[in-house]
Amino acid sequence: MTSSLALPTLTIDLQAVRDNYRLLQRRAGKAKCAAVLKANAYGLGADAIAPALVQEGCRHFFVAHIDEGVRLRKVVPRDAEIYVLHGVPSIQSLEFVQHQLIPVLNSLEQIKTWRIISDKLDVRLPAAIQFDSGMSRMGLSTGEVRYLKRNEHLLNSFNVALVMTHLACAEQQQHAMNEQQLESFRASRALFPRVSASIANSSGIFLGEDYQFDLVRPGAALYGIAPLEGEENPLKQAVFLAAPIIQTRKIANGGYVGYGVRHQADREQVIATLGIGYADGWPRAAERRTHAFLGGRAAPLVGAISMDSVTVDVSSIEGPQLKPGDTMDLICRYQTVDDLARATGTIGYEILTRLGNRLQRIYLDKSLESKK
Ligand SMILES: *Cc1c(COP(=O)(O)O)cnc(C)c1O
């Protein structure tokens, strides 16, 4: 094994993910609680997260791509349902059958494709159908839903296991779009009265009982992202990032730091260089907007973010005592994923999914600790 000393480290607290799942399950009332594990569980590692959620009773999973579903199937039990959000691309897509995946059918073409596969195999294969309730991203228009209802034979070959839609503005509780989408979904759903229904993502769960239906589909909240704008976050922090000091140096008053020499010291300063950069997902836009932490004491990042390193003014936190190999915290209780997102003009989802492959990932689960 190579030394891990010099690697920036992403720690994923699986116990926090489990606790978040349980909280969401409670908030979801009578609805079942799925887990959205697309993009490798938002970059955190679906292979580790899925089994933890299975232990908490989760049996419904959503991914975006077929390949993600194939991989997920290897780590969840046979009775777990895996939905593929992008649906079925062609009549050659037999992975759905081989790996027991359920497509989310988003168009009349996909419905036709699934019908052909089901007929050919002479099995009533399960599928979800997505309605577009106003976001204009994926799913059948209301006109197409009515067309389907007039031509019900189009659905005879397979088993509609779930009808669903997706909310565009759920993190803004007061947004008028929420109710509009709810009304649209109810109208479409009325044509499928006996089929399970699902509308809520993480934020949707917190819009109340009307939005919970039979199944809720949180992703971000499992990983600790705040579900509601401007409200306290009820979820536990699950993601922590730390990076090692490569070297420290004293610079004189007037000395420059980094590409473009955009930082100039206005007094003698101690600069620590950390082994993490934008290639690891620390946004280049974080220049002048974020801190590194040592035992809770903040030191500002100064100068440009490089590909593999950042520079920190540690003058005020006993910089001279710091040594190469010491680590500083970048995502921690004092600077969360949401804080970093706000500072850099993006959302926590993007921060998480861009955390790089070069980061050493460590999974904590109760007192057990395993390295990947
Ligand atoms: C990504 C996604 C989710 C999960 O959304 P979060 O906001 O992360 O909870 C749910 N449903 C669909 C269709 C999605 O694309």
mmCIF file with all atom_site columns, all heavy atoms in Angstrom, residues 36 38 42 62 85 130 137-138 164-166 199-204 217-223 349, ligand 1:
data_model
loop_
_atom_site.group_PDB
_atom_site.id
_atom_site.type_symbol
_atom_site.label_atom_id
_atom_site.label_alt_id
_atom_site.label_comp_id
_atom_site.label_asym_id
_atom_site.label_entity_id
_atom_site.label_seq_id
_atom_site.pdbx_PDB_ins_code
_atom_site.Cartn_x
_atom_site.Cartn_y
_atom_site.Cartn_z
_atom_site.occupancy
_atom_site.B_iso_or_equiv
_atom_site.pdbx_formal_charge
_atom_site.auth_seq_id
_atom_site.auth_comp_id
_atom_site.auth_asym_id
_atom_site.auth_atom_id
_atom_site.pdbx_PDB_model_num
ATOM   1   N N   . VAL A 1 36  ? -31.760 7.882  -4.015  1.00 0.00 ? 36  VAL A N   1
ATOM   2   C CA  . VAL A 1 36  ? -31.272 8.204  -5.357  1.00 0.00 ? 36  VAL A CA  1
ATOM   3   C C   . VAL A 1 36  ? -29.741 8.134  -5.333  1.00 0.00 ? 36  VAL A C   1
ATOM   4   O O   . VAL A 1 36  ? -29.090 8.879  -4.604  1.00 0.00 ? 36  VAL A O   1
ATOM   5   C CB  . VAL A 1 36  ? -31.778 9.588  -5.810  1.00 0.00 ? 36  VAL A CB  1
ATOM   6   C CG1 . VAL A 1 36  ? -31.249 9.906  -7.207  1.00 0.00 ? 36  VAL A CG1 1
ATOM   7   C CG2 . VAL A 1 36  ? -33.307 9.611  -5.800  1.00 0.00 ? 36  VAL A CG2 1
ATOM   8   N N   . LYS A 1 38  ? -27.750 8.052  -8.242  1.00 0.00 ? 38  LYS A N   1
ATOM   9   C CA  . LYS A 1 38  ? -27.160 8.370  -9.557  1.00 0.00 ? 38  LYS A CA  1
ATOM   10  C C   . LYS A 1 38  ? -25.783 9.020  -9.387  1.00 0.00 ? 38  LYS A C   1
ATOM   11  O O   . LYS A 1 38  ? -25.476 9.526  -8.303  1.00 0.00 ? 38  LYS A O   1
ATOM   12  C CB  . LYS A 1 38  ? -28.095 9.287  -10.340 1.00 0.00 ? 38  LYS A CB  1
ATOM   13  C CG  . LYS A 1 38  ? -28.389 10.607 -9.652  1.00 0.00 ? 38  LYS A CG  1
ATOM   14  C CD  . LYS A 1 38  ? -29.610 11.290 -10.275 1.00 0.00 ? 38  LYS A CD  1
ATOM   15  C CE  . LYS A 1 38  ? -29.866 12.632 -9.615  1.00 0.00 ? 38  LYS A CE  1
ATOM   16  N NZ  . LYS A 1 38  ? -31.169 13.195 -10.012 1.00 0.00 ? 38  LYS A NZ  1
ATOM   17  N N   . TYR A 1 42  ? -23.901 10.538 -5.946  1.00 0.00 ? 42  TYR A N   1
ATOM   18  C CA  . TYR A 1 42  ? -23.479 11.939 -5.918  1.00 0.00 ? 42  TYR A CA  1
ATOM   19  C C   . TYR A 1 42  ? -21.970 12.037 -5.656  1.00 0.00 ? 42  TYR A C   1
ATOM   20  O O   . TYR A 1 42  ? -21.482 12.913 -4.933  1.00 0.00 ? 42  TYR A O   1
ATOM   21  C CB  . TYR A 1 42  ? -24.264 12.741 -4.875  1.00 0.00 ? 42  TYR A CB  1
ATOM   22  C CG  . TYR A 1 42  ? -25.753 12.911 -5.187  1.00 0.00 ? 42  TYR A CG  1
ATOM   23  C CD1 . TYR A 1 42  ? -26.485 11.882 -5.765  1.00 0.00 ? 42  TYR A CD1 1
ATOM   24  C CD2 . TYR A 1 42  ? -26.418 14.094 -4.900  1.00 0.00 ? 42  TYR A CD2 1
ATOM   25  C CE1 . TYR A 1 42  ? -27.844 12.025 -6.052  1.00 0.00 ? 42  TYR A CE1 1
ATOM   26  C CE2 . TYR A 1 42  ? -27.780 14.256 -5.183  1.00 0.00 ? 42  TYR A CE2 1
ATOM   27  C CZ  . TYR A 1 42  ? -28.485 13.214 -5.754  1.00 0.00 ? 42  TYR A CZ  1
ATOM   28  O OH  . TYR A 1 42  ? -29.822 13.364 -6.035  1.00 0.00 ? 42  TYR A OH  1
ATOM   29  N N   . PHE A 1 62  ? -32.846 4.630  -7.230  1.00 0.00 ? 62  PHE A N   1
ATOM   30  C CA  . PHE A 1 62  ? -32.905 5.296  -8.532  1.00 0.00 ? 62  PHE A CA  1
ATOM   31  C C   . PHE A 1 62  ? -31.491 5.636  -8.984  1.00 0.00 ? 62  PHE A C   1
ATOM   32  O O   . PHE A 1 62  ? -30.693 6.169  -8.210  1.00 0.00 ? 62  PHE A O   1
ATOM   33  C CB  . PHE A 1 62  ? -33.726 6.587  -8.452  1.00 0.00 ? 62  PHE A CB  1
ATOM   34  C CG  . PHE A 1 62  ? -35.211 6.347  -8.324  1.00 0.00 ? 62  PHE A CG  1
ATOM   35  C CD1 . PHE A 1 62  ? -35.764 6.053  -7.091  1.00 0.00 ? 62  PHE A CD1 1
ATOM   36  C CD2 . PHE A 1 62  ? -36.043 6.397  -9.445  1.00 0.00 ? 62  PHE A CD2 1
ATOM   37  C CE1 . PHE A 1 62  ? -37.136 5.817  -6.962  1.00 0.00 ? 62  PHE A CE1 1
ATOM   38  C CE2 . PHE A 1 62  ? -37.408 6.164  -9.327  1.00 0.00 ? 62  PHE A CE2 1
ATOM   39  C CZ  . PHE A 1 62  ? -37.952 5.873  -8.086  1.00 0.00 ? 62  PHE A CZ  1
ATOM   40  N N   . LEU A 1 85  ? -33.540 6.210  -14.417 1.00 0.00 ? 85  LEU A N   1
ATOM   41  C CA  . LEU A 1 85  ? -34.277 7.436  -14.739 1.00 0.00 ? 85  LEU A CA  1
ATOM   42  C C   . LEU A 1 85  ? -34.273 7.790  -16.222 1.00 0.00 ? 85  LEU A C   1
ATOM   43  O O   . LEU A 1 85  ? -35.236 8.357  -16.725 1.00 0.00 ? 85  LEU A O   1
ATOM   44  C CB  . LEU A 1 85  ? -33.705 8.616  -13.944 1.00 0.00 ? 85  LEU A CB  1
ATOM   45  C CG  . LEU A 1 85  ? -33.985 8.584  -12.428 1.00 0.00 ? 85  LEU A CG  1
ATOM   46  C CD1 . LEU A 1 85  ? -33.088 9.574  -11.701 1.00 0.00 ? 85  LEU A CD1 1
ATOM   47  C CD2 . LEU A 1 85  ? -35.454 8.897  -12.153 1.00 0.00 ? 85  LEU A CD2 1
ATOM   48  N N   . GLN A 1 130 ? -42.984 8.341  -16.342 1.00 0.00 ? 130 GLN A N   1
ATOM   49  C CA  . GLN A 1 130 ? -42.803 9.698  -15.816 1.00 0.00 ? 130 GLN A CA  1
ATOM   50  C C   . GLN A 1 130 ? -43.691 10.677 -16.593 1.00 0.00 ? 130 GLN A C   1
ATOM   51  O O   . GLN A 1 130 ? -43.767 10.631 -17.817 1.00 0.00 ? 130 GLN A O   1
ATOM   52  C CB  . GLN A 1 130 ? -41.343 10.122 -15.915 1.00 0.00 ? 130 GLN A CB  1
ATOM   53  C CG  . GLN A 1 130 ? -41.110 11.563 -15.475 1.00 0.00 ? 130 GLN A CG  1
ATOM   54  C CD  . GLN A 1 130 ? -39.748 11.827 -14.859 1.00 0.00 ? 130 GLN A CD  1
ATOM   55  O OE1 . GLN A 1 130 ? -39.639 12.436 -13.804 1.00 0.00 ? 130 GLN A OE1 1
ATOM   56  N NE2 . GLN A 1 130 ? -38.700 11.366 -15.506 1.00 0.00 ? 130 GLN A NE2 1
ATOM   57  N N   . ARG A 1 137 ? -38.437 18.695 -18.763 1.00 0.00 ? 137 ARG A N   1
ATOM   58  C CA  . ARG A 1 137 ? -37.141 18.029 -18.834 1.00 0.00 ? 137 ARG A CA  1
ATOM   59  C C   . ARG A 1 137 ? -37.311 16.586 -19.292 1.00 0.00 ? 137 ARG A C   1
ATOM   60  O O   . ARG A 1 137 ? -36.803 16.195 -20.326 1.00 0.00 ? 137 ARG A O   1
ATOM   61  C CB  . ARG A 1 137 ? -36.445 18.091 -17.474 1.00 0.00 ? 137 ARG A CB  1
ATOM   62  C CG  . ARG A 1 137 ? -35.037 17.543 -17.502 1.00 0.00 ? 137 ARG A CG  1
ATOM   63  C CD  . ARG A 1 137 ? -34.336 17.650 -16.172 1.00 0.00 ? 137 ARG A CD  1
ATOM   64  N NE  . ARG A 1 137 ? -34.817 16.678 -15.185 1.00 0.00 ? 137 ARG A NE  1
ATOM   65  C CZ  . ARG A 1 137 ? -34.217 16.448 -14.026 1.00 0.00 ? 137 ARG A CZ  1
ATOM   66  N NH1 . ARG A 1 137 ? -33.126 17.115 -13.689 1.00 0.00 ? 137 ARG A NH1 1
ATOM   67  N NH2 . ARG A 1 137 ? -34.702 15.570 -13.170 1.00 0.00 ? 137 ARG A NH2 1
ATOM   68  N N   . MET A 1 138 ? -38.048 15.815 -18.526 1.00 0.00 ? 138 MET A N   1
ATOM   69  C CA  . MET A 1 138 ? -38.309 14.434 -18.922 1.00 0.00 ? 138 MET A CA  1
ATOM   70  C C   . MET A 1 138 ? -39.758 14.083 -18.621 1.00 0.00 ? 138 MET A C   1
ATOM   71  O O   . MET A 1 138 ? -40.359 14.629 -17.706 1.00 0.00 ? 138 MET A O   1
ATOM   72  C CB  . MET A 1 138 ? -37.382 13.482 -18.179 1.00 0.00 ? 138 MET A CB  1
ATOM   73  C CG  . MET A 1 138 ? -35.989 13.424 -18.781 1.00 0.00 ? 138 MET A CG  1
ATOM   74  S SD  . MET A 1 138 ? -35.071 12.033 -18.161 1.00 0.00 ? 138 MET A SD  1
ATOM   75  C CE  . MET A 1 138 ? -33.960 12.878 -17.072 1.00 0.00 ? 138 MET A CE  1
ATOM   76  N N   . MET A 1 164 ? -44.669 8.751  -11.893 1.00 0.00 ? 164 MET A N   1
ATOM   77  C CA  . MET A 1 164 ? -43.888 9.737  -11.146 1.00 0.00 ? 164 MET A CA  1
ATOM   78  C C   . MET A 1 164 ? -43.713 11.029 -11.924 1.00 0.00 ? 164 MET A C   1
ATOM   79  O O   . MET A 1 164 ? -43.959 11.102 -13.131 1.00 0.00 ? 164 MET A O   1
ATOM   80  C CB  . MET A 1 164 ? -42.503 9.165  -10.795 1.00 0.00 ? 164 MET A CB  1
ATOM   81  C CG  . MET A 1 164 ? -41.684 8.740  -12.002 1.00 0.00 ? 164 MET A CG  1
ATOM   82  S SD  . MET A 1 164 ? -40.041 8.127  -11.534 1.00 0.00 ? 164 MET A SD  1
ATOM   83  C CE  . MET A 1 164 ? -39.144 9.683  -11.473 1.00 0.00 ? 164 MET A CE  1
ATOM   84  N N   . THR A 1 165 ? -43.323 12.073 -11.199 1.00 0.00 ? 165 THR A N   1
ATOM   85  C CA  . THR A 1 165 ? -42.896 13.313 -11.823 1.00 0.00 ? 165 THR A CA  1
ATOM   86  C C   . THR A 1 165 ? -41.824 13.924 -10.933 1.00 0.00 ? 165 THR A C   1
ATOM   87  O O   . THR A 1 165 ? -41.472 13.337 -9.899  1.00 0.00 ? 165 THR A O   1
ATOM   88  C CB  . THR A 1 165 ? -44.076 14.282 -12.048 1.00 0.00 ? 165 THR A CB  1
ATOM   89  O OG1 . THR A 1 165 ? -43.643 15.354 -12.902 1.00 0.00 ? 165 THR A OG1 1
ATOM   90  C CG2 . THR A 1 165 ? -44.566 14.887 -10.731 1.00 0.00 ? 165 THR A CG2 1
ATOM   91  N N   . HIS A 1 166 ? -41.278 15.048 -11.358 1.00 0.00 ? 166 HIS A N   1
ATOM   92  C CA  . HIS A 1 166 ? -40.166 15.649 -10.605 1.00 0.00 ? 166 HIS A CA  1
ATOM   93  C C   . HIS A 1 166 ? -40.450 17.136 -10.426 1.00 0.00 ? 166 HIS A C   1
ATOM   94  O O   . HIS A 1 166 ? -40.930 17.803 -11.340 1.00 0.00 ? 166 HIS A O   1
ATOM   95  C CB  . HIS A 1 166 ? -38.865 15.432 -11.382 1.00 0.00 ? 166 HIS A CB  1
ATOM   96  C CG  . HIS A 1 166 ? -37.631 15.767 -10.610 1.00 0.00 ? 166 HIS A CG  1
ATOM   97  N ND1 . HIS A 1 166 ? -37.365 15.257 -9.348  1.00 0.00 ? 166 HIS A ND1 1
ATOM   98  C CD2 . HIS A 1 166 ? -36.558 16.541 -10.918 1.00 0.00 ? 166 HIS A CD2 1
ATOM   99  C CE1 . HIS A 1 166 ? -36.192 15.709 -8.929  1.00 0.00 ? 166 HIS A CE1 1
ATOM   100 N NE2 . HIS A 1 166 ? -35.687 16.498 -9.859  1.00 0.00 ? 166 HIS A NE2 1
ATOM   101 N N   . ILE A 1 199 ? -43.596 11.744 -6.280  1.00 0.00 ? 199 ILE A N   1
ATOM   102 C CA  . ILE A 1 199 ? -43.312 13.101 -6.766  1.00 0.00 ? 199 ILE A CA  1
ATOM   103 C C   . ILE A 1 199 ? -42.139 13.752 -6.031  1.00 0.00 ? 199 ILE A C   1
ATOM   104 O O   . ILE A 1 199 ? -41.408 14.552 -6.609  1.00 0.00 ? 199 ILE A O   1
ATOM   105 C CB  . ILE A 1 199 ? -44.604 13.979 -6.695  1.00 0.00 ? 199 ILE A CB  1
ATOM   106 C CG1 . ILE A 1 199 ? -44.353 15.434 -7.121  1.00 0.00 ? 199 ILE A CG1 1
ATOM   107 C CG2 . ILE A 1 199 ? -45.223 13.978 -5.334  1.00 0.00 ? 199 ILE A CG2 1
ATOM   108 C CD1 . ILE A 1 199 ? -45.635 16.214 -7.382  1.00 0.00 ? 199 ILE A CD1 1
ATOM   109 N N   . ALA A 1 200 ? -41.907 13.391 -4.757  1.00 0.00 ? 200 ALA A N   1
ATOM   110 C CA  . ALA A 1 200 ? -40.996 14.176 -3.916  1.00 0.00 ? 200 ALA A CA  1
ATOM   111 C C   . ALA A 1 200 ? -39.537 13.746 -4.018  1.00 0.00 ? 200 ALA A C   1
ATOM   112 O O   . ALA A 1 200 ? -39.211 12.578 -3.818  1.00 0.00 ? 200 ALA A O   1
ATOM   113 C CB  . ALA A 1 200 ? -41.436 14.083 -2.457  1.00 0.00 ? 200 ALA A CB  1
ATOM   114 N N   . ASN A 1 201 ? -38.662 14.688 -4.307  1.00 0.00 ? 201 ASN A N   1
ATOM   115 C CA  . ASN A 1 201 ? -37.224 14.522 -4.077  1.00 0.00 ? 201 ASN A CA  1
ATOM   116 C C   . ASN A 1 201 ? -36.963 14.897 -2.615  1.00 0.00 ? 201 ASN A C   1
ATOM   117 O O   . ASN A 1 201 ? -37.900 15.014 -1.825  1.00 0.00 ? 201 ASN A O   1
ATOM   118 C CB  . ASN A 1 201 ? -36.423 15.407 -5.055  1.00 0.00 ? 201 ASN A CB  1
ATOM   119 C CG  . ASN A 1 201 ? -36.641 16.884 -4.787  1.00 0.00 ? 201 ASN A CG  1
ATOM   120 O OD1 . ASN A 1 201 ? -37.673 17.277 -4.250  1.00 0.00 ? 201 ASN A OD1 1
ATOM   121 N ND2 . ASN A 1 201 ? -35.683 17.703 -5.149  1.00 0.00 ? 201 ASN A ND2 1
ATOM   122 N N   . SER A 1 202 ? -35.699 15.124 -2.248  1.00 0.00 ? 202 SER A N   1
ATOM   123 C CA  . SER A 1 202 ? -35.390 15.475 -0.845  1.00 0.00 ? 202 SER A CA  1
ATOM   124 C C   . SER A 1 202 ? -36.260 16.620 -0.363  1.00 0.00 ? 202 SER A C   1
ATOM   125 O O   . SER A 1 202 ? -36.955 16.525 0.656   1.00 0.00 ? 202 SER A O   1
ATOM   126 C CB  . SER A 1 202 ? -33.929 15.919 -0.712  1.00 0.00 ? 202 SER A CB  1
ATOM   127 O OG  . SER A 1 202 ? -33.051 14.888 -1.061  1.00 0.00 ? 202 SER A OG  1
ATOM   128 N N   . SER A 1 203 ? -36.210 17.734 -1.079  1.00 0.00 ? 203 SER A N   1
ATOM   129 C CA  . SER A 1 203 ? -36.931 18.928 -0.642  1.00 0.00 ? 203 SER A CA  1
ATOM   130 C C   . SER A 1 203 ? -38.428 18.689 -0.638  1.00 0.00 ? 203 SER A C   1
ATOM   131 O O   . SER A 1 203 ? -39.146 19.186 0.236   1.00 0.00 ? 203 SER A O   1
ATOM   132 C CB  . SER A 1 203 ? -36.597 20.103 -1.561  1.00 0.00 ? 203 SER A CB  1
ATOM   133 O OG  . SER A 1 203 ? -35.212 20.293 -1.649  1.00 0.00 ? 203 SER A OG  1
ATOM   134 N N   . GLY A 1 204 ? -38.908 17.923 -1.611  1.00 0.00 ? 204 GLY A N   1
ATOM   135 C CA  . GLY A 1 204 ? -40.341 17.648 -1.730  1.00 0.00 ? 204 GLY A CA  1
ATOM   136 C C   . GLY A 1 204 ? -40.908 16.973 -0.490  1.00 0.00 ? 204 GLY A C   1
ATOM   137 O O   . GLY A 1 204 ? -42.068 17.193 -0.127  1.00 0.00 ? 204 GLY A O   1
ATOM   138 N N   . ARG A 1 217 ? -38.279 10.138 -3.078  1.00 0.00 ? 217 ARG A N   1
ATOM   139 C CA  . ARG A 1 217 ? -37.015 9.833  -3.770  1.00 0.00 ? 217 ARG A CA  1
ATOM   140 C C   . ARG A 1 217 ? -35.902 10.821 -3.375  1.00 0.00 ? 217 ARG A C   1
ATOM   141 O O   . ARG A 1 217 ? -35.451 11.610 -4.199  1.00 0.00 ? 217 ARG A O   1
ATOM   142 C CB  . ARG A 1 217 ? -37.204 9.934  -5.292  1.00 0.00 ? 217 ARG A CB  1
ATOM   143 C CG  . ARG A 1 217 ? -38.389 9.187  -5.860  1.00 0.00 ? 217 ARG A CG  1
ATOM   144 C CD  . ARG A 1 217 ? -38.365 9.249  -7.383  1.00 0.00 ? 217 ARG A CD  1
ATOM   145 N NE  . ARG A 1 217 ? -38.270 10.584 -7.920  1.00 0.00 ? 217 ARG A NE  1
ATOM   146 C CZ  . ARG A 1 217 ? -39.305 11.363 -8.246  1.00 0.00 ? 217 ARG A CZ  1
ATOM   147 N NH1 . ARG A 1 217 ? -40.548 10.928 -8.108  1.00 0.00 ? 217 ARG A NH1 1
ATOM   148 N NH2 . ARG A 1 217 ? -39.097 12.584 -8.719  1.00 0.00 ? 217 ARG A NH2 1
ATOM   149 N N   . PRO A 1 218 ? -35.436 10.778 -2.141  1.00 0.00 ? 218 PRO A N   1
ATOM   150 C CA  . PRO A 1 218 ? -34.363 11.698 -1.772  1.00 0.00 ? 218 PRO A CA  1
ATOM   151 C C   . PRO A 1 218 ? -33.006 11.252 -2.293  1.00 0.00 ? 218 PRO A C   1
ATOM   152 O O   . PRO A 1 218 ? -32.702 10.071 -2.340  1.00 0.00 ? 218 PRO A O   1
ATOM   153 C CB  . PRO A 1 218 ? -34.379 11.642 -0.240  1.00 0.00 ? 218 PRO A CB  1
ATOM   154 C CG  . PRO A 1 218 ? -34.867 10.264 0.067   1.00 0.00 ? 218 PRO A CG  1
ATOM   155 C CD  . PRO A 1 218 ? -35.870 9.925  -1.010  1.00 0.00 ? 218 PRO A CD  1
ATOM   156 N N   . GLY A 1 219 ? -32.207 12.224 -2.685  1.00 0.00 ? 219 GLY A N   1
ATOM   157 C CA  . GLY A 1 219 ? -30.796 12.003 -2.985  1.00 0.00 ? 219 GLY A CA  1
ATOM   158 C C   . GLY A 1 219 ? -29.981 12.881 -2.050  1.00 0.00 ? 219 GLY A C   1
ATOM   159 O O   . GLY A 1 219 ? -29.473 12.445 -1.018  1.00 0.00 ? 219 GLY A O   1
ATOM   160 N N   . ALA A 1 220 ? -29.912 14.172 -2.396  1.00 0.00 ? 220 ALA A N   1
ATOM   161 C CA  . ALA A 1 220 ? -29.025 15.119 -1.712  1.00 0.00 ? 220 ALA A CA  1
ATOM   162 C C   . ALA A 1 220 ? -29.153 15.101 -0.187  1.00 0.00 ? 220 ALA A C   1
ATOM   163 O O   . ALA A 1 220 ? -28.143 15.187 0.524   1.00 0.00 ? 220 ALA A O   1
ATOM   164 C CB  . ALA A 1 220 ? -29.309 16.530 -2.235  1.00 0.00 ? 220 ALA A CB  1
ATOM   165 N N   . ALA A 1 221 ? -30.368 14.990 0.323   1.00 0.00 ? 221 ALA A N   1
ATOM   166 C CA  . ALA A 1 221 ? -30.555 15.056 1.776   1.00 0.00 ? 221 ALA A CA  1
ATOM   167 C C   . ALA A 1 221 ? -29.883 13.877 2.486   1.00 0.00 ? 221 ALA A C   1
ATOM   168 O O   . ALA A 1 221 ? -29.418 14.003 3.618   1.00 0.00 ? 221 ALA A O   1
ATOM   169 C CB  . ALA A 1 221 ? -32.039 15.101 2.118   1.00 0.00 ? 221 ALA A CB  1
ATOM   170 N N   . LEU A 1 222 ? -29.816 12.733 1.813   1.00 0.00 ? 222 LEU A N   1
ATOM   171 C CA  . LEU A 1 222 ? -29.121 11.586 2.412   1.00 0.00 ? 222 LEU A CA  1
ATOM   172 C C   . LEU A 1 222 ? -27.683 11.948 2.737   1.00 0.00 ? 222 LEU A C   1
ATOM   173 O O   . LEU A 1 222 ? -27.101 11.465 3.703   1.00 0.00 ? 222 LEU A O   1
ATOM   174 C CB  . LEU A 1 222 ? -29.110 10.397 1.441   1.00 0.00 ? 222 LEU A CB  1
ATOM   175 C CG  . LEU A 1 222 ? -30.436 9.723  1.141   1.00 0.00 ? 222 LEU A CG  1
ATOM   176 C CD1 . LEU A 1 222 ? -30.256 8.758  -0.029  1.00 0.00 ? 222 LEU A CD1 1
ATOM   177 C CD2 . LEU A 1 222 ? -30.931 8.986  2.382   1.00 0.00 ? 222 LEU A CD2 1
ATOM   178 N N   . TYR A 1 223 ? -27.116 12.796 1.872   1.00 0.00 ? 223 TYR A N   1
ATOM   179 C CA  . TYR A 1 223 ? -25.697 13.123 1.997   1.00 0.00 ? 223 TYR A CA  1
ATOM   180 C C   . TYR A 1 223 ? -25.494 14.416 2.780   1.00 0.00 ? 223 TYR A C   1
ATOM   181 O O   . TYR A 1 223 ? -24.404 14.964 2.803   1.00 0.00 ? 223 TYR A O   1
ATOM   182 C CB  . TYR A 1 223 ? -25.089 13.198 0.592   1.00 0.00 ? 223 TYR A CB  1
ATOM   183 C CG  . TYR A 1 223 ? -25.577 12.056 -0.293  1.00 0.00 ? 223 TYR A CG  1
ATOM   184 C CD1 . TYR A 1 223 ? -26.232 12.286 -1.497  1.00 0.00 ? 223 TYR A CD1 1
ATOM   185 C CD2 . TYR A 1 223 ? -25.429 10.736 0.142   1.00 0.00 ? 223 TYR A CD2 1
ATOM   186 C CE1 . TYR A 1 223 ? -26.716 11.239 -2.264  1.00 0.00 ? 223 TYR A CE1 1
ATOM   187 C CE2 . TYR A 1 223 ? -25.910 9.689  -0.627  1.00 0.00 ? 223 TYR A CE2 1
ATOM   188 C CZ  . TYR A 1 223 ? -26.553 9.947  -1.828  1.00 0.00 ? 223 TYR A CZ  1
ATOM   189 O OH  . TYR A 1 223 ? -27.035 8.913  -2.578  1.00 0.00 ? 223 TYR A OH  1
ATOM   190 N N   . TYR A 1 349 ? -25.005 19.948 -4.693  1.00 0.00 ? 349 TYR A N   1
ATOM   191 C CA  . TYR A 1 349 ? -25.019 18.790 -5.595  1.00 0.00 ? 349 TYR A CA  1
ATOM   192 C C   . TYR A 1 349 ? -23.794 18.806 -6.518  1.00 0.00 ? 349 TYR A C   1
ATOM   193 O O   . TYR A 1 349 ? -23.164 17.785 -6.776  1.00 0.00 ? 349 TYR A O   1
ATOM   194 C CB  . TYR A 1 349 ? -26.247 18.815 -6.500  1.00 0.00 ? 349 TYR A CB  1
ATOM   195 C CG  . TYR A 1 349 ? -27.598 18.777 -5.851  1.00 0.00 ? 349 TYR A CG  1
ATOM   196 C CD1 . TYR A 1 349 ? -28.054 19.813 -5.045  1.00 0.00 ? 349 TYR A CD1 1
ATOM   197 C CD2 . TYR A 1 349 ? -28.461 17.719 -6.101  1.00 0.00 ? 349 TYR A CD2 1
ATOM   198 C CE1 . TYR A 1 349 ? -29.330 19.782 -4.495  1.00 0.00 ? 349 TYR A CE1 1
ATOM   199 C CE2 . TYR A 1 349 ? -29.738 17.678 -5.548  1.00 0.00 ? 349 TYR A CE2 1
ATOM   200 C CZ  . TYR A 1 349 ? -30.159 18.715 -4.751  1.00 0.00 ? 349 TYR A CZ  1
ATOM   201 O OH  . TYR A 1 349 ? -31.414 18.685 -4.207  1.00 0.00 ? 349 TYR A OH  1
HETATM 202 C C1  . LIG B 2 .   ? -31.923 13.547 -8.856  1.00 0.00 ? 1   LIG B C1  1
HETATM 203 C C2  . LIG B 2 .   ? -33.340 13.189 -8.758  1.00 0.00 ? 1   LIG B C2  1
HETATM 204 C C3  . LIG B 2 .   ? -33.945 12.976 -7.508  1.00 0.00 ? 1   LIG B C3  1
HETATM 205 C C4  . LIG B 2 .   ? -33.247 13.249 -6.204  1.00 0.00 ? 1   LIG B C4  1
HETATM 206 O O1  . LIG B 2 .   ? -33.217 14.643 -6.008  1.00 0.00 ? 1   LIG B O1  1
HETATM 207 P P1  . LIG B 2 .   ? -32.607 15.301 -4.686  1.00 0.00 ? 1   LIG B P1  1
HETATM 208 O O2  . LIG B 2 .   ? -32.932 16.732 -4.836  1.00 0.00 ? 1   LIG B O2  1
HETATM 209 O O3  . LIG B 2 .   ? -31.153 15.021 -4.724  1.00 0.00 ? 1   LIG B O3  1
HETATM 210 O O4  . LIG B 2 .   ? -33.269 14.661 -3.533  1.00 0.00 ? 1   LIG B O4  1
HETATM 211 C C5  . LIG B 2 .   ? -35.256 12.519 -7.480  1.00 0.00 ? 1   LIG B C5  1
HETATM 212 N N1  . LIG B 2 .   ? -35.936 12.300 -8.624  1.00 0.00 ? 1   LIG B N1  1
HETATM 213 C C6  . LIG B 2 .   ? -35.396 12.537 -9.848  1.00 0.00 ? 1   LIG B C6  1
HETATM 214 C C7  . LIG B 2 .   ? -36.213 12.301 -11.062 1.00 0.00 ? 1   LIG B C7  1
HETATM 215 C C8  . LIG B 2 .   ? -34.098 13.000 -9.948  1.00 0.00 ? 1   LIG B C8  1
HETATM 216 O O5  . LIG B 2 .   ? -33.567 13.242 -11.154 1.00 0.00 ? 1   LIG B O5  1
#
